Amino acid sequence: MIGNELILRNAHIYTMDEGIPEATSILIRDGHIIAVAANADELPPSSKQQVTVIDLNGRSVFPGLCDSHIHLEKYALMLDQVDCETDSLHECLQRVERMCQDTPPGSWVFGHGWNQNDWGAYGTLSQLDKVSPNNPVYLTAKSLHAGWANSKALEIAGLSNATADPSKGSLQRDGDGNLTGILFENAMQLISSQLPRPSLDSLMGMILRAQQKLLSWGITAVHDFDGLSCLGALSNLEKTGRLRLRVLKHIREKDFEAALAEDFTQRFNSDWLQIGHLKLFADGALGPRTAAMLQSYEGEPDNCGMLLFTSDELVELGSSASKAGYPMAIHAIGDQANRTALDAFEKLSTMGMDRLPAPHRIEHVQLLHPEDIPRLAQLDVTASMQPIHALSDHAMADQYWGARARWSYAWKSQYDSGARVIFGSDAPVESPDPWLGIFAATTRQPLVSQSNTPAWIPEERVSLEQAILGYTKNPAQTSAWKGRIGQLTAGYAADLIVLDQDPFELDQEAIANLRPAGVMSAGEWQIREF
C-alpha cells in the first residue's frame, strides 16, 4: 500500500510486543506500521485522502514468520529433483530409474533425502548403477552430510579406488577397498565441484518459485546459508523488485575472503538483503554418525565422530571475523562440537572480540552435555534450533546417543536458561513449513497418523507462545533488522500474516495444517484469500 493508508480492523492481533501484546486494529502507511490499537477508533487520524479499510471479521494476525536456518538455493534446486525421502531403498531406486528414463543420456540426475538409517544399510554403487546406466547420478542424504554417486558420476569427478580421502572427509569403501559411491563431509565436494551450475537467470527463476512456496506458509524472512551464487541471484531479484522475502545472508568460510575484498556488509545492506554471520562447521551430523562426541556412539566404541575445528582454530578464525565485523554462526551437532564452539566463544569474549553487530550463534545445538546447557545464555550466544529435526531424528538419537539423548533437541532447557532461541527448518533437510515446526516444538510427537505415540522427552516441549516467538521476534534480534521486523509495533515494517483460525484455540494437531489466508510484506499483499 505504498502511498496509501490501510487499516485492518476487527482482528485478533498478536503483536509479540510486551508493551501492547494484543490489539484489534492496525494502521499501515508506506510499508510500515503507524499504530496498533485496542479498537479502530483509537488509531490516529488519517494523513492521506485514500484510506483502505479491511474488516478481518475476527481473524488472527501475527508478525510474518522467519525461517532462521534454510539453504535457499538448495531448496529451490531440489524442488525439481528426485525425492529420495522414503522408508524403502527399493522405492528410492525406482524413483531414480523413472527420472533417468525421462532424462537425456549423459545428463545429470540429482536427488535428495535418503536416510540409510531408515533402510538398515547404505545403498551401493552397483544398485545405483543398475537403474542409471546412461546418466551420471548424485543423491544427497537427508542430512546433507553424505552423498551417493553412481559410477558415471565418480568417473566425471576423477575418483577411483586409489583416490585418497580428503581433509575433513572420507570416501566409503567395501572390504576390498573399492569405492561404494558413498561420500562423507568434505569428500562430497569432490563430486559437487563437478556439477553443472544453473545460469543466473535459471537460478533466479527457481528462487522465485521457492519464494512463493515460503510465502504461502507465512514466511516473510529467512536466514540463508548457501553460497555466492545464491547471493548473486538474490541481489538481482532485489534490484528488479522481485525479492519479497527479507534475507539475512550468511557467508561460508570458503567465501569469506571474497566477502572482505568486496565489502559485502556495505554492498548488501538494505531492507531486503543483509549480510549476517560467518558460517563454520565444527562437526558432521547424527545420520552418518559424523557429529563430534565427547564419548563414542552407542555400539561403536571406536567412533566419536569428526571434529572439524579445534577450539583454538575457532578462536583464530573468530578473531579475524570479529575484526571485520562478522559474528560467527557455528554448526555444532554433537556434545563435543558444541563444547568446542562454546569454549571458543568464551575465549573470544575474554579477548573483547564479542562486540559485534549481532550476537554469535550456534546452528542446531542438537546435543549438549548437561554442564554446557546454561553456557549459551551466559555467553549471549543464540541457540539456532530446528524443532522438526526431532520428529525425524528421535529414533537415531535414542539408538546412537543412548541416555545422552535426554539433553538433545533441548529447546525448553535453552528457553529456561535464558538463551535467545530461534527456530528454522534446515530445508531442504526438512520441510520449511513453519507450522510443522511449531507443532514439533510444542508436542515432540509424530504427525496425525501416529498421534497416539507418546511425546519424546516431553520435558523439552515449549509453549505455543515460545514457539511463535522462535519464528518471529527472536530471529529479528540476531540481525541488523532488530527493531524493524518481528513485531507488530509502530515503526516496524508491515510484515504480517492473517489466519482464519486462532492457533491458541486449536488442537495441537490442527496447528500443523495451518495456512495463512493473507501474507503481507512491506505493506503489500503477497497472498490474499479473503
Side-chain angles (χ1 to χ4, degrees), residues 118-332:
D118 292 337
W119 300 342
Y122 285 97
T124 68
L125 191 62
S126 60
Q127 288 171 328
L128 194 53
D129 284 347
K130 184 176 180 180
V131 298
S132 57
N134 302 312
N135 302 86
V137 175
Y138 184 56
L139 314 173
T140 48
K142 183 177 176 66
S143 66
L144 284 178
H145 286 259
W148 182 15
N150 71 352
S151 292
K152 288 187 178 295
L154 294 175
E155 181 181 352
I156 290 171
L159 302 184
S160 70
N161 296 335
T163 303
D165 287 347
S167 173
K168 301 179 181 179
S170 65
L171 297 161
Q172 189 188 69
R173 304 170 195 272
D174 64 20
D176 296 322
N178 300 315
L179 296 183
T180 66
I182 303 295
L183 308 92
F184 297 110
E185 304 301 340
N186 282 5
M188 297 171 67
Q189 296 177 13
L190 301 175
I191 295 284
S192 62
S193 63
Q194 304 301 314
L195 302 181
R197 299 292 309 162
S199 68
L200 178 61
D201 285 345
S202 294
L203 182 55
M204 289 166 62
M206 294 174 188
I207 290 177
L208 283 175
R209 181 183 170 199
Q211 173 179 260
Q212 195 57 37
K213 286 187 71 69
L214 296 172
L215 287 167
S216 74
W217 283 309
I219 295 172
T220 58
V222 298
H223 297 182
D224 174 68
F225 286 87
D226 275 340
L228 297 187
S229 56
C230 185
L231 178 59
L234 291 167
S235 178
N236 274 23
L237 289 172
E238 181 191 21
K239 289 174 183 176
T240 55
R242 291 179 286 172
L243 185 61
R244 309 321 293 166
L245 290 170
R246 301 186 196 274
V247 181
L248 182 67
K249 187 75 190 70
H250 300 293
I251 301 300
R252 302 178 301 178
E253 180 193 3
K254 70 183 217 177
D255 300 325
F256 189 46
E257 287 188 10
L260 295 179
E262 300 178 36
D263 200 7
F264 280 3
T265 55
Q266 294 302 312
R267 282 184 58 193
F268 308 105
N269 183 26
S270 72
D271 287 341
W272 294 102
L273 185 58
Q274 286 268 353
I275 297 298
H277 294 50
L278 171 63
K279 167 70 181 300
L280 303 170
F281 283 86
D283 68 345
L286 169 60
R289 298 188 294 290
T290 52
M293 306 299 298
L294 291 168
Q295 302 293 330
S296 63
Y297 286 86
E298 298 290 315
E300 300 181 34
D302 297 326
N303 182 20
C304 288
M306 299 175 65
L307 187 66
L308 304 180
F309 286 101
T310 67
S311 181
D312 287 343
E313 288 170 336
L314 289 176
V315 169
E316 182 178 355
L317 284 165
S319 297
S320 298
S322 296
K323 290 173 183 176
Y326 281 79
M328 288 200 297
I330 300 179
H331 162 113

Side-chain angles (χ1 to χ4, degrees), residues 1 16-17 31 89 148 231-232 277 322 359 366 394 414 456 527:
M1 300 298 295
M16 299 295 131
D17 180 353
L89 170 61
W148 182 15
L231 178 59
H277 294 50
S322 296
Q366 280 186 206
H394 64 91
Q414 285 305 303
W456 181 60
I527 294 170

Side-chain angles (χ1 to χ4, degrees), residues 14-162:
Y14 294 94
T15 67
M16 299 295 131
D17 180 353
E18 294 177 357
I20 311 175
E22 297 183 25
T24 69
S25 303
I26 187 168
L27 172 63
I28 295 167
R29 180 190 306 148
D30 297 335
H32 288 81
I33 297 167
I34 303 302
V36 294
N39 59 70
D41 294 338
E42 296 177 4
L43 294 173
S46 172
S47 64
K48 306 276 186 181
Q49 289 186 341
Q50 186 173 351
V51 181
T52 301
V53 180
I54 298 177
D55 188 328
L56 290 180
N57 295 308
R59 292 182 175 91
S60 296
V61 178
F62 288 85
L65 305 180
C66 176
D67 188 319
S68 296
H69 190 117
I70 191 171
H71 300 270
L72 189 55
E73 178 177 341
K74 289 185 178 69
Y75 174 65
L77 292 173
M78 288 175 186
L79 292 175
D80 292 321
Q81 295 182 6
V82 179
D83 179 5
C84 298
E85 189 166 353
T86 167
D87 292 339
S88 166
L89 170 61
H90 178 69
E91 172 62 24
C92 176
L93 290 167
Q94 284 188 321
R95 294 177 185 181
V96 173
E97 184 173 32
R98 288 193 292 269
M99 181 68 83
C100 289
Q101 290 169 348
D102 293 335
T103 302
S107 296
W108 281 86
V109 169
F110 302 112
H112 172 74
W114 58 267
N115 184 347
Q116 81 285 350
N117 295 288
D118 292 337
W119 300 342
Y122 285 97
T124 68
L125 191 62
S126 60
Q127 288 171 328
L128 194 53
D129 284 347
K130 184 176 180 180
V131 298
S132 57
N134 302 312
N135 302 86
V137 175
Y138 184 56
L139 314 173
T140 48
K142 183 177 176 66
S143 66
L144 284 178
H145 286 259
W148 182 15
N150 71 352
S151 292
K152 288 187 178 295
L154 294 175
E155 181 181 352
I156 290 171
L159 302 184
S160 70
N161 296 335

Side-chain angles (χ1 to χ4, degrees), residues 459-516:
E459 301 92 332
E460 294 299 342
R461 293 177 295 195
V462 300
S463 69
L464 180 55
E465 181 179 8
Q466 287 173 323
I468 294 173
L469 282 170
Y471 283 99
T472 54
K473 181 178 180 178
N474 291 357
Q477 308 300 309
T478 68
S479 74
W481 289 317
K482 181 179 180 179
R484 296 157 63 186
I485 64 172
Q487 298 175 204
L488 301 180
T489 304
Y492 280 60
D495 297 357
L496 58 82
I497 62 174
V498 178
L499 300 171
D500 286 335
Q501 298 170 292
D502 187 336
F504 288 97
E505 297 178 359
L506 292 177
D507 292 337
Q508 288 176 315
E509 290 178 354
I511 291 174
N513 297 312
L514 278 173
R515 295 291 180 270

